[in-house]
Amino acid sequence: MDEPAPTARWRQRIAAYGIATLAVGLALVFAFALADVAGPTNVALVFLAPVMFCAARFGFWPAAWAALLSVAVKAYFFYAPIFSLAVAAPTNLWALIAFILVAGFTSLMTDEVRRQAAAARQAAAITKQLYAFSQRLAGVAKMDELLSAVTAQVHDMLGLQTTILMPGADGDLRLRAAYPPGARHTAADLDAARRVWDGAADSAAYVADERWLFVPLITGQGRVGVLGVADAAGAAGRTRLAPDEAKLLDALAGHAAVSVERTALAERVEEARLIKETEDFRMALLSSLTHDFKTPLASIQGAISSLRHFGAMYDDATRQEMLTGAEAEAVRLNRYISNLLDITRLDTGTLRKQLEPVDLSDVIGAALKQAEPHVLRHRVVTDVAPSLPMARLDFVLAQQALFNVIENAAKYAPAGGTITVSAGRRGEALELRVSDQGPGIPPEQIGRIFDRFYRIKSADRQRAGVGLGLAVAKGFAEAMGGTLAAGNRPEGGAQFTFTFPPAALA
Amino acid sequence: MTTATTVLIVDDEPAILRFLRNTLAVQNYNVVEAATAADALVVLRRARPDLLILDLGLPDRDGLEVIAEVRKANRVPIVVLSSRGDERTKVTALDAGADDYITKPFGVEELMARVRSALRRKYTEQGAEPVFSSGGLEVDLTRRSVRLRGAEVKLSPKEYDILAQLVIHAGKVLTHRHLLREVWGGETAVDVQYLRVYVRQLRQKIERTTERPEFILTEPGVGYRLNCDA
């Protein structure tokens, strides 16, 4: 006996008829039990139970088998002549015919209900898979990540190689994502994909070179790409999908199309935002260049040309005053250009830094030395905690950042006031603070003072200098892994606080 | 009768050249000029200047190469003109043999201070003064003694070696590398952070406050300088 094993489906069918036969047998036992009480003619209805059970469980044909078996059993055991399939009384014959009609009708109805339930279950399963699919795509913001996620998901759900093709800048389709990552298309595949993309292949799915199946990714706005699936690499012959698989693929393609469109839209919005930000920066830069470049140049040129033409007519003190003013404006212009260069270095990522253990009191000393000409009219106090550990910094960047903050304090704090530069520990980190006795920062402007070209607006005149120094200081602090925060002290005046990570001394 | 001090200015920017020439001439320096590296090397041999002011951005040759070329046969002090944010170039120039640098743009006070300091060293280094004294700090190199406002200061050998290097080259910027080489000698794998630690200790012993040093000045990103005018 070397028969091939029956397929699962056949085994199921045979089992269904077996169970139908058993169910009728069970009904017969019940019928014998009931027959003593209710009379043999009234037991007919007992046999409806196995018929309906089979219709609900296995479908129409097993139910029909059960009905037929029931009729035979009833004729044999209950209707005279007993122990014969013949039926003598016409009433009994009518009863059997009625039974067959009722059984047949209810079987059909029950079978229909069963089919609907199965369809609903399948639909629910697809919905669940689609839900999981869209959940996985929802969080993805970048197009490339989305496409990889889609191909990986389709691959997992259908067990097929999956690719996505999208039009490039020239409008021609090219492979954008594949799962497993090695999957490639032949020229013939690409032709087929192009036909699907162009709409020449009318059906949703199109079989190319007997292997790849392409589905257009369509949204309300049009086609966004083409999804390709194929049996595992090496499998011969065309890729065939079971009807429920085809349905799932269509649904997945629909979802993927919507996600691709959403992501493309989000990318365009982000692009537009960046363009707008760049535009805003350019406008701010332009207005700043006009004001902060031209003002010092105007006074330098004015002073020099006036001295050249009328120098002899000025007294010595006036000449000195004009020259000192011109020199100060030149220094200011230099500061402005330095800040612009620093911002550019930060923006273009060309900032060179070398993080190494640095003594904060040394940084303070270098910054104060640089700031000397700016704090002539202020009292500067330093307060460095004893035996402070070294901080991990780039010396030059730290000194420049601190200088910018000190210069800012000197600009806003009234002459004669005290500027305090202090350094200490805060937990593991090191803090560097610059506080002044000025009017402080208006609370509603604290969030904006690190913006480029931002200057605190005050009722009187605008302060000299550019709103770049603090932006540079914050940029430098962050480039070194630190932070710079602004606030007001309870006792009055602004306070800027750098936080730096400590250096682990080897 | 004294012969005027001669300064050679090498720069290809006419405006800078004019400003330097006038400023130095009015201070009674004898000025010679060159606009290219090739010219500079010729003038250097002919005019035998006492000081060379060199812009690193020359049309025909890298300024760093010029320094190396000059140093092959000449001890003339070299002051380099460089731009801000270019600390590496400054360090390279100093390591190649330059004596000092000025960052463009600069004021005339800064220029003259650097020029005077470079020239003073030229003369003192020839007869190497064994005792340095400035602003209450006295260092006697022959007796290896350090006094601060009359009181003896106890230094560890490394601290003393660093201070001695700064005294020998008083007023000149010493790069981290120079100090590491001279103080730690052949010991490899000695890091700049050791130098920073020792300089901090040294400052704690001789400065009033470490964040307002009078004597040992930090040149950000480059090295240290001993202040001769404290």
Side-chain angles (χ1 to χ4, degrees):
Chain A
M1 295 277 285
D2 203 14
E3 269 180 18
T7 65
R9 196 165 275 204
W10 272 106
R11 204 179 294 162
Q12 275 178 1
R13 272 185 206 167
I14 290 167
Y17 286 94
I19 290 169
T21 311
L22 275 177
V24 174
L26 209 63
L28 178 63
V29 174
F30 261 104
F32 273 128
L34 276 174
D36 291 343
V37 188
T41 42
N42 291 329
V43 298
L45 289 176
V46 171
F47 288 91
L48 272 181
V51 174
M52 291 190 41
F53 167 77
C54 290
R57 194 82 178 79
F58 308 117
F60 180 76
W61 292 110
W65 164 249
L68 215 67
L69 210 58
S70 300
V71 168
V73 164
K74 279 198 279 193
Y76 192 78
F77 288 106
F78 294 104
Y79 299 144
I82 289 176
F83 302 124
S84 151
L85 284 176
V87 177
T91 47
N92 284 346
L93 196 63
W94 285 117
L96 281 181
I97 291 170
F99 175 82
I100 286 191
L101 285 176
V102 170
F105 185 67
T106 49
S107 292
L108 279 175
M109 298 278 284
T110 313
D111 185 47
E112 180 58 27
V113 170
R114 186 190 67 92
R115 278 176 201 278
Q116 277 172 6
R121 264 200 305 280
Q122 197 188 10
I126 290 183
T127 308
K128 201 172 155 195
Q129 278 182 298
L130 281 181
Y131 179 71
F133 183 66
S134 52
Q135 280 292 96
R136 267 177 216 127
L137 302 188
V140 184
K142 290 212 177 73
M143 185 61 85
D144 285 337
E145 287 170 22
L146 175 80
L147 298 180
S148 325
V150 168
T151 49
Q153 283 295 308
V154 173
H155 171 266
D156 288 353
M157 288 179 174
L158 291 170
L160 298 168
Q161 290 191 86
T162 309
T163 59
I164 288 180
L165 299 100
M166 283 171 68
D170 55 356
D172 195 21
L173 282 184
R174 56 183 58 115
L175 190 64
R176 283 291 299 271
Y179 199 95
R184 287 284 169 272
H185 285 304
T186 62
D189 293 344
L190 285 174
D191 278 343
R194 275 186 207 109
R195 283 200 296 282
V196 170
W197 169 252
D198 294 336
D202 211 23
S203 60
Y206 183 82
V207 179
D209 61 343
E210 303 290 305
R211 244 173 75 55
W212 283 90
L213 201 69
F214 291 104
V215 185
L217 297 175
I218 304 177
T219 69
Q221 310 297 313
R223 297 176 180 220
V224 294
V226 175
L227 181 78
V229 290
D231 284 332
R238 63 167 60 187
T239 298
R240 287 175 192 282
L241 296 179
D244 55 337
E245 286 176 330
K247 234 182 253 173
L248 181 58
L249 180 63
D250 274 355
L252 290 177
H255 269 258
V258 171
S259 293
V260 166
E261 190 173 58
R262 169 181 59 78
T263 307
L265 214 63
E267 281 190 348
R268 271 206 293 280
V269 169
E270 175 63 14
E271 218 168 87
R273 194 186 64 78
L274 279 178
I275 289 173
K276 165 107 176 45
E277 213 166 69
T278 313
E279 236 7 80
D280 287 352
F281 177 70
R282 281 204 189 120
M283 290 309 293
L285 178 62
L286 215 65
S287 93
S288 161
L289 283 177
T290 322
H291 179 261
D292 296 288
F293 245 117
K294 294 246 171 181
T295 310
L297 275 177
S299 55
I300 293 167
Q301 191 183 3
I304 290 173
S305 65
S306 177
L307 284 168
R308 196 160 76 83
H309 289 285
F310 315 116
M313 294 156 73
Y314 292 122
D315 60 36
D316 220 35
T318 312
R319 262 202 302 276
Q320 275 305 315
E321 192 189 313
M322 290 176 80
L323 285 168
T324 310
E327 193 181 4
E329 287 300 283
V331 169
R332 198 175 111 191
L333 196 57
N334 180 40
R335 287 283 312 128
Y336 173 63
I337 294 168
S338 300
N339 275 332
L340 265 187
L341 286 175
D342 288 339
I343 279 283
T344 313
R345 284 197 188 104
L346 278 168
D347 278 0
T348 54
T350 51
L351 191 71
R352 283 198 297 196
K353 58 172 188 277
Q354 193 180 354
L355 298 180
E356 51 190 9
V358 167
D359 179 3
L360 278 183
S361 60
D362 204 358
V363 173
I364 294 175
L368 285 179
K369 190 157 169 46
Q370 193 188 353
E372 253 167 31
H374 301 268
V375 293
L376 293 177
R377 296 183 303 153
H378 295 83
R379 208 165 71 87
V380 180
V381 174
T382 58
D383 174 18
V384 178
S387 64
L388 205 58
M390 297 244 173
R392 194 171 145 73
L393 296 175
D394 177 291
F395 193 98
V396 178
L397 294 187
Q399 177 224 344
Q400 196 60 45
L402 181 59
F403 166 80
N404 281 9
V405 172
I406 294 171
E407 189 201 26
N408 179 76
K411 209 188 297 176
Y412 286 100
T418 303
I419 296 172
T420 308
V421 183
S422 54
R425 283 187 205 229
R426 185 184 198 103
E428 282 292 292
L430 293 157
E431 265 190 2
L432 198 52
R433 293 173 294 267
V434 177
S435 37
D436 63 44
Q437 296 176 320
I441 311 160
E444 72 279 6
Q445 297 189 31
I446 284 185
R448 295 206 56 201
I449 56 166
F450 293 114
D451 288 0
R452 289 135 183 224
F453 303 115
Y454 191 76
R455 230 183 297 241
I456 288 186
K457 304 277 190 303
S458 52
D460 52 359
R461 64 193 176 87
Q462 281 211 334
R463 307 279 168 162
V466 219
L468 270 181
L470 291 179
V472 168
K474 191 175 168 69
F476 279 5
E478 285 167 2
M480 294 183 285
T483 59
L484 172 58
N488 289 316
R489 291 187 304 160
E491 61 268 40
Q495 173 159 295
F496 288 84
T497 309
F498 289 97
T499 315
F500 293 120
L505 267 173
Chain B
M1 128 172 198
T2 54
T3 49
T5 305
T6 302
V7 179
L8 168 58
I9 308 168
V10 188
D11 199 321
D12 62 324
E13 285 291 336
I16 302 279
L17 210 51
R18 189 162 55 233
F19 150 63
L20 289 173
R21 181 205 303 133
N22 291 339
T23 308
L24 290 169
V26 85
Q27 302 267 322
N28 294 321
Y29 289 98
N30 181 21
V31 178
V32 285
E33 298 168 13
T36 62
D39 276 0
L41 294 171
V42 173
V43 177
L44 189 70
R45 274 194 298 276
R46 287 218 192 108
R48 305 204 153 270
D50 301 285
L51 177 73
L52 175 58
I53 297 178
L54 174 70
D55 190 306
L56 289 180
L58 293 175
D60 56 337
R61 243 176 126 177
D62 187 351
L64 296 172
E65 281 177 32
V66 178
I67 297 172
E69 186 77 35
V70 171
R71 277 287 169 264
K72 275 183 192 164
N74 204 324
R75 280 298 314 153
V76 62
I78 302 175
V79 176
V80 162
L81 301 183
S82 70
S83 27
R84 178 187 161 272
D86 204 9
E87 275 68 28
R88 278 173 208 221
T89 312
K90 289 174 190 169
V91 171
T92 319
L94 291 170
D95 283 337
D99 293 81
D100 214 331
Y101 61 83
I102 314 175
T103 306
K104 286 193 285 192
F106 50 86
V108 74
E109 302 93 331
E110 204 184 338
L111 170 72
M112 293 320 296
R114 292 281 175 272
V115 166
R116 275 196 294 271
S117 158
L119 286 171
R120 184 167 54 209
R121 275 197 310 278
K122 176 181 154 77
Y123 300 125
T124 55
E125 275 174 25
Q126 284 165 356
E129 269 183 80
V131 180
F132 170 87
S133 175
S134 173
L137 179 70
E138 269 181 43
V139 181
D140 187 333
L141 293 175
T142 45
R143 297 174 49 208
R144 290 179 69 91
S145 80
V146 179
R147 300 175 85 79
L148 183 64
R149 288 178 283 277
E152 177 93 21
V153 182
K154 288 244 177 291
L155 296 182
S156 75
K158 286 280 186 261
E159 288 163 9
Y160 176 80
D161 287 349
I162 293 170
L163 185 58
Q165 274 302 313
L166 289 165
V167 164
I168 291 166
H169 304 282
K172 179 179 169 176
V173 199
L174 298 186
T175 62
H176 298 135
R177 194 158 139 208
H178 174 105
L179 284 167
L180 288 173
R181 189 183 59 227
E182 294 299 321
V183 175
W184 275 268
E187 287 176 51
T188 49
V190 177
D191 204 62
V192 181
Q193 73 181 77
Y194 288 91
L195 182 59
R196 292 219 163 96
V197 170
Y198 279 105
V199 168
R200 172 152 82 170
Q201 289 169 6
L202 187 53
R203 276 178 174 155
Q204 280 164 355
K205 290 182 181 175
I206 63 172
E207 303 283 6
R208 283 177 219 265
T209 54
T210 51
E211 58 285 2
R212 294 279 186 85
E214 295 169 77
F215 304 111
I216 303 175
L217 308 182
T218 298
E219 293 288 330
V222 179
Y224 299 96
R225 183 200 297 272
L226 187 69
N227 185 6
C228 303
D229 310 313

